[in-house]
Amino acid sequence: MATAPIRIAPSILSADFARLGEEVRAIEAAGAALVHFDVMDNHYVPNLTIGPLVCEAIRPHVTIPIDVHLMVEPVDALVPLFAKAGANIITFHPEASKHVDRTLSMIREHGCKAGLVFNPGTPLHYLDHLMDKIDMILLMSVNPGFGGQKFIPSTLDKLRAARLRIDRHVEAGGNPIWLEVDGGVKADNIGAIAVAGADTFVAGSAVFGAPDPDKGYRTIMRQLQQAAG
Ligand code: DX5
Ligand code: ZN
């Protein structure tokens, strides 16, 4: 079980985009730790979503950090734009950047926390040599591109492996690193995901697909707290 505090990051991908300000205010009021912001470019993933303009538009509506998940290729040009638009955390997929170390440094230089995202088929060895430059590891538990997909069970083993890497790194005096999971997180699996080592949980359809986001958030948080004991 992760010793770090647990956090839920509702993904606005499943929110009502015509009422986005209201939707993000509702999740902060419910107790959400982060706003998860999915950026898709119809190149790295086969879907097209939102960019820095939308990040800037929601920024005044919440005080919680905005967790920007870049599913784009190339990555670097968007880093300063999202930092300026009020992002607090910026994560990207390592295979989408030609110079992963440089992109991570650039994110921190722009005042944000930096993280790497691993698709279900992407090996964790991208973490080698980079742990000191990383604030967040995000494991995809679906192939990226769409909300509402089914959780891939082998992610649990990968979470345990990532948790081990983080714990060893911290024991050796390294910086703390959050372990986030994204895709298909629901009330019936969030407990097992926590036990496997995640401390931060993205939930799109589980929160915004519920009768109201407050109810969706509370349902999964209740399950998570039970698993955390
Ligand atoms: C998928 C996105 C996810 C997605 C999660 O590419 O990165 O953040 O919105 O949605 P659910 O929780 O519905 O699987
Ligand atoms: Zn995401």
Side-chain angles (χ1 to χ4, degrees):
M1 184 67 213
T3 49
I6 44 178
R7 309 168 197 92
I8 291 179
S11 164
I12 58 171
L13 190 60
S14 298
D16 178 352
F17 278 85
R19 302 168 34 249
L20 208 45
E22 207 182 306
E23 295 275 75
V24 293
R25 288 198 304 272
I27 57 165
E28 175 160 29
L34 308 166
V35 177
H36 188 76
F37 191 102
D38 285 310
V39 183
M40 305 185 187
D41 67 349
N42 191 38
H43 173 69
Y44 180 71
V45 287
N47 200 355
L48 185 64
T49 59
I50 45 180
L53 269 178
V54 176
C55 185
E56 196 178 350
I58 63 167
R59 182 66 283 178
H61 291 269
V62 283
T63 61
I64 51 177
I66 300 178
D67 168 29
V68 173
H69 172 193
L70 293 179
M71 287 161 273
V72 303
E73 184 178 3
V75 179
D76 291 4
L78 286 178
V79 169
L81 298 181
F82 272 104
K84 193 158 174 267
N88 303 91
I89 302 167
I90 300 179
T91 63
F92 64 98
H93 292 247
E95 67 277 36
S97 171
K98 285 209 165 68
H99 305 286
V100 177
D101 179 284
R102 178 187 288 157
T103 307
L104 287 168
S105 299
M106 187 190 284
I107 293 170
R108 282 190 174 169
E109 278 158 19
H110 282 84
C112 298
K113 291 189 184 298
L116 289 184
V117 192
F118 294 82
N119 287 332
T122 306
L124 291 178
H125 68 60
Y126 278 102
L127 293 168
D128 295 349
H129 319 295
L130 290 174
M131 294 292 271
D132 286 329
K133 300 204 154 177
I134 292 174
D135 302 294
M136 166 111 100
I137 295 170
L138 170 49
L139 298 193
M140 294 305 301
S141 37
V142 298
N143 286 290
F146 303 94
Q149 302 183 77
K150 208 171 159 347
F151 183 86
I152 297 173
S154 60
T155 311
L156 295 176
D157 278 342
K158 205 170 175 186
L159 276 169
R160 285 185 271 271
R163 167 55 52 200
L164 205 61
R165 281 184 183 246
I166 292 171
D167 289 349
R168 283 195 188 134
H169 170 75
V170 171
E171 274 160 32
N175 54 302
I177 297 175
W178 293 3
L179 180 54
E180 185 173 49
V181 66
D182 184 0
V185 176
K186 307 278 179 204
D188 64 2
N189 62 13
I190 197 165
I193 297 168
V195 170
D199 53 41
T200 308
F201 306 79
V202 176
S205 44
V207 172
F208 290 105
D212 64 75
D214 183 80
K215 190 155 190 251
Y217 174 84
R218 283 175 203 281
T219 304
I220 52 173
M221 185 45 112
R222 200 175 316 120
Q223 293 298 322
L224 185 52
Q225 281 167 341
Q226 274 173 18

